[in-house]
């Protein structure tokens, strides 16, 4: 699928607080823990659990969330299709970063080994 300007704008305005509970449910439903989810998010963004809670409490947008993130230097190794979009073909920087996060959560939920998810 082709990423549109409207899609990019919608992603930018979405809050981390609105999506995070869905991440938790997704991984827990598949037998994984919130601690594993936090490990994956911290690897990608550098944010601790308390940092994430601040983003949730302030209802920060993904735009703000990723402006403050220190993206892992290996994040570019995250490839594949998520939500119908091939990550490596997304030219909008913010949308690509959000899809990185979606892909990592998806891999965790599907039972991929942590060392493979973290691409180290």
């Amino acid at each position: 699928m082709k990423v549109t300007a409207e899609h990019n704008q919608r992603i930018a305005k979405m809050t981390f607080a609105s999506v995070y509970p869905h991440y938790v449910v997704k991984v827990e439903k598949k037998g994984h823990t919130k601690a594993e989810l936090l490990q994956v998010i911290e690897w990608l963004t550098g944010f601790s659990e308390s940092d994430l809670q601040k983003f949730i409490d302030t209802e920060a947008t993904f735009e703000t969330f990723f402006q403050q993130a220190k993206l892992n230097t290996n994040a570019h190794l995250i490839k594949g299709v998520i939500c119908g979009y091939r990550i490596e073909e997304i030219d909008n920087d913010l949308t690509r970063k959000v899809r990185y996060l979606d892909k990592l959560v998806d891999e965790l939920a599907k039972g991929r080994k942590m060392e493979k998810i973290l691409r180290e």
Side-chain angles (χ1 to χ4, degrees):
M1 288 191 331
K2 180 80 172 127
V3 177
T4 64
E6 295 81 18
H7 177 263
N8 291 335
Q9 194 63 14
R10 196 176 78 242
I11 294 272
K13 300 300 177 216
M14 198 178 310
T15 65
F16 179 73
S18 71
V19 177
Y20 180 70
H22 298 287
Y23 290 157
V24 173
V25 167
K26 184 174 188 170
V27 299
E28 287 181 343
K29 191 165 74 172
K30 297 291 188 165
H32 296 279
T33 65
K34 185 176 171 184
E36 289 172 307
L37 175 62
L38 292 170
Q39 182 181 357
V40 166
I41 295 172
E42 184 174 357
W43 176 86
L44 179 64
T45 64
F47 295 137
S48 67
E49 185 173 5
S50 63
D51 294 330
L52 296 179
Q53 191 59 53
K54 288 176 192 163
F55 287 114
I56 291 167
D57 293 344
T58 62
E59 296 191 14
T61 63
F62 270 121
E63 188 170 32
T64 300
F65 181 84
F66 279 106
Q67 281 174 348
Q68 296 180 28
K70 292 176 179 65
L71 211 63
N72 189 291
T73 55
N74 286 337
H76 70 281
L77 299 174
I78 302 168
K79 299 188 185 309
V81 176
I82 188 72
C83 302
Y85 299 97
R86 179 154 292 284
I87 293 172
E88 51 273 34
E89 294 175 0
I90 298 172
D91 57 2
N92 180 281
D93 190 50
L94 175 61
T95 301
R96 187 177 341 98
K97 290 174 182 176
V98 173
R99 294 305 180 197
Y100 283 163
L101 180 56
D102 290 342
K103 183 71 172 174
L104 295 179
V105 172
D106 193 55
E107 289 176 351
L108 176 62
K110 288 182 176 177
R112 193 166 193 209
K113 293 192 183 300
M114 193 61 79
E115 59 268 13
K116 295 224 184 247
I117 295 171
L118 303 185
R119 290 156 173 85
E120 292 183 346

